[in-house]
Amino acid sequence: MNHDELNHWSKRAADWARDYHATLRDKPVRPDIQPGEFRAKIEGPAPETPEPVERIFEDFTTLVPDAMTHWQHPRFFAYFPGNAAPVSMLAEQLANAMAAQAMLWQTAPAANEMEALTVDWLRDALGLPGDLTGTIHDSATTATLSAVLTMREQALGHEGLTKGLPGMPPLRIYASAQTHSSVDKAVRLSGIGQDNLVKVPGLDGHETYSMDPEALDALIRQDIESGLKPTGVVLCTGGTSIGACDLIGACIAVAHAHGLPVHVDAAWAGSAMICPEFRPLWEGIEKADSIVFNPHKWLGAQFDCAVQFIRDPRPQIATMGLRPHYLQTQGADEVVNYNEWTVPLGRRFRALKIWFLIRAEGLSGLRARIRNHVAWAEEAAQTIAALPGFEVTTDPILSLFTFRFQDDERTAALLEKVNNDGRIYLTQTTHEGAFVIRVQVGQFDCTREDVMMIPTVLEELSGDL
């Protein structure tokens, strides 16, 4: 394929994409397919000779979409969404066409400087302090790993990078019991070790299931007395399971009293903070040392796109950065190279889709969508609670709530029926030992009617359970 042919096929692809999105409501959200079934349709040796693009494109359209879970389906209410506003798709197309490797300022000056601007735009939109800076990662997992590695090196005087961890005192990371598994992964990969991740108990009866600040303080003191080395604290705003939000200000005060840095995982809920009325959920956030949120989860920036705000980037650069001679920019020793803020050397031009998105939708448009999602989730929860046999087990925190139907066995059976039915897609978690079903409203193009399909389907399918 040459560039003239690419022009033709790009137009064909754009037409297909328009039709695909226009017909998503008519498709089951999750495919009715068994493991290995799709591969059997495409099995064969790698072609030795070129095939016509027409044939390849036809195979794609006839085989691939029906074997995919449709993440852009307006009735996708499972997990958190991987949103993709149309304007974000356009920006990704342009970034892909340039195919830049934005590892250094000199390899992609516009990408580098646009990243700085869009991070500032988002910082201000979320009401964060103006002295925060930051960078764009692929996902919150990478941002959290970067933050934990930085905590490790600060605790070890930056000797862990050179001497390793043997012989060092056991390091301890403290986190809410509601934090995401990416925190567990970070302590594992950092060499701190799963056994040194301390899950702090929550406050009894707290409305957003916060970590207990007094318990955090007691655990830190206990570890110091035992000869262990407290290293950092990870808090959550909008936990994945039930949307839990820690008392950010109170927990940061405890951590900072012990000289510990704090990273806040707001991967999903952070987007909602463009609406001032939701900011009490992370009151005290201005004192955090590091914060991550994913614009791809709720703002409409196409996956992948995670923004980490950092109070002082120097410790993270000292931890993550390497600048061999071949990566230096002559005459610009102090230029910002964002690869030094994160794990990969290679970097995509992720800022472009944020730049397009905010300009095309406006903060007012993005706020309206999030407010709608929160209101519709509340309405759906109230309707489900009124259905016979149903119980809302955790009230909506923003647009996430959970429910169950009679008991664990019937709840699990209902979830299986719902997802096989295909009109909506939900997923499960456990809460206080019970099997419950999660509902999270956040698809970029969903409507109130899409959301209210949830209680309609539940009422219909629970009838014979």
Side-chain angles (χ1 to χ4, degrees):
M1 178 183 287
N2 59 37
H3 286 283
D4 289 334
E5 292 170 319
L6 174 63
N7 180 56
H8 166 76
W9 285 103
S10 293
K11 293 173 181 175
R12 285 279 299 272
D15 289 342
W16 177 86
R18 176 200 58 208
D19 295 342
Y20 169 75
H21 284 270
T23 58
L24 273 178
R25 278 190 180 83
D26 302 326
K27 304 178 188 293
V29 188
R30 194 179 72 172
D32 182 12
I33 191 171
Q34 298 301 313
E37 184 177 334
F38 173 73
R39 176 161 179 166
K41 295 179 180 180
I42 62 170
E43 189 65 71
E48 288 288 345
T49 57
E51 296 183 48
V53 177
E54 182 77 48
R55 182 187 305 163
I56 301 169
F57 193 87
E58 181 180 358
D59 284 347
F60 164 77
T61 59
T62 58
L63 297 175
V64 174
D66 289 341
M68 290 292 290
T69 296
H70 302 296
W71 279 74
Q72 304 312 311
H73 199 295
R75 293 174 184 168
F76 182 107
F77 303 114
Y79 309 104
F80 290 128
N83 274 337
V87 72
S88 178
M89 297 181 197
L90 174 62
E92 281 287 75
Q93 183 178 344
L94 297 173
N96 290 340
M98 287 185 286
Q101 213 282 47
M103 60 184 178
L104 306 171
W105 176 87
Q106 67 171 328
T107 66
N112 180 288
E113 296 181 18
M114 187 180 289
E115 180 161 345
L117 173 69
T118 54
V119 167
D120 286 352
W121 278 3
L122 290 169
R123 176 200 64 203
D124 296 344
L126 271 58
L128 295 171
D131 61 344
L132 290 177
T133 184
T135 189
I136 306 174
H137 300 274
D138 53 358
S139 67
T141 298
T142 301
T144 297
L145 174 60
S146 299
V148 169
L149 287 168
T150 302
M151 292 174 179
R152 183 194 75 184
E153 289 308 302
Q154 288 179 288
L156 297 177
H158 286 273
E159 291 188 346
L161 293 172
T162 53
K163 296 182 178 180
L165 298 187
M168 298 292 187
L171 307 180
R172 304 284 272 182
I173 297 289
Y174 308 87
S176 164
Q178 295 288 342
T179 48
H180 189 263
S181 61
S182 60
V183 180
D184 300 68
K185 181 174 285 190
V187 298
R188 292 180 178 206
L189 297 182
S190 67
I192 293 172
Q194 183 75 58
D195 291 347
N196 290 310
L197 175 60
V198 182
K199 295 293 182 77
V200 181
L203 282 166
D204 289 340
H206 190 262
E207 61 182 356
T208 64
Y209 308 94
S210 171
M211 171 194 293
D212 183 346
E214 292 186 3
L216 172 63
D217 182 65
L219 287 166
I220 294 171
R221 293 179 184 277
Q222 177 181 314
D223 283 348
I224 293 172
E225 292 173 3
S226 300
L228 305 175
K229 191 169 185 61
T231 299
V233 177
V234 181
L235 305 176
C236 71
T237 296
T240 300
S241 181
I242 57 171
C245 295
D246 289 324
L247 290 169
I248 299 297
C251 293
I252 289 178
V254 171
H256 284 180
H258 290 283
L260 302 183
V262 175
H263 172 69
V264 178
D265 179 358
W268 159 64
S271 292
M273 303 310 165
I274 64 172
C275 303
E277 66 267 29
F278 300 136
R279 292 177 190 165
L281 288 172
W282 70 357
E283 185 176 356
I285 193 67
E286 67 277 1
K287 297 294 181 62
D289 301 287
S290 171
I291 307 161
V292 64
F293 93 107
N294 291 349
H296 68 239
K297 277 194 166 74
W298 206 357
L299 281 188
Q302 187 165 11
F303 183 85
D304 51 13
C305 185
V307 174
Q308 182 191 14
F309 301 105
I310 309 171
R311 180 162 307 284
D312 180 2
R314 290 172 297 179
Q316 187 155 314
I317 294 169
T319 301
M320 311 300 295
L322 282 173
R323 195 178 294 189
H325 181 75
Y326 52 80
L327 292 180
Q328 294 176 10
T329 300
Q330 292 193 37
D333 290 341
E334 299 309 314
V335 71
V336 173
N337 293 316
Y338 285 112
N339 79 82
E340 298 175 342
W341 299 43
T342 185
V343 178
L345 172 61
R347 309 188 82 247
R348 298 177 59 245
F349 189 178
R350 295 187 179 94
L352 189 65
K353 56 194 168 191
I354 301 176
W355 193 63
F356 266 67
L357 174 70
I358 294 177
R359 294 182 65 187
E361 296 288 338
L363 292 175
S364 61
L366 296 173
R367 289 189 192 103
R369 287 178 185 271
I370 287 175
R371 287 167 173 151
N372 281 339
H373 295 164
V374 172
W376 297 337
E378 179 68 39
E379 184 179 359
Q382 292 175 359
T383 306
I384 291 169
L387 296 176
F390 284 83
E391 173 195 0
V392 171
T393 44
T394 60
D395 291 329
I397 297 177
L398 297 172
S399 63
L400 170 61
F401 66 92
T402 67
F403 68 90
R404 69 196 305 251
F405 177 65
Q406 295 190 12
D407 55 32
D408 283 4
E409 182 179 354
R410 289 182 177 87
T411 303
L414 176 60
L415 178 63
E416 189 70 13
K417 288 188 69 174
V418 165
N419 289 338
N420 288 338
D421 175 80
R423 282 175 287 175
I424 61 175
Y425 184 27
L426 306 176
T427 191
Q428 75 287 334
T429 189
T430 57
H431 176 64
E432 297 180 347
F435 184 99
V436 299
I437 298 175
R438 292 172 73 256
V439 174
Q440 194 282 315
V441 178
Q443 279 308 114
F444 199 76
D445 289 329
C446 76
T447 64
R448 177 187 173 277
E449 289 71 24
D450 291 318
V451 177
M452 296 310 294
M453 179 63 71
I454 301 170
T456 298
V457 170
L458 294 174
E459 183 176 25
E460 177 183 325
L461 297 183
S462 63
D464 58 357
L465 291 177

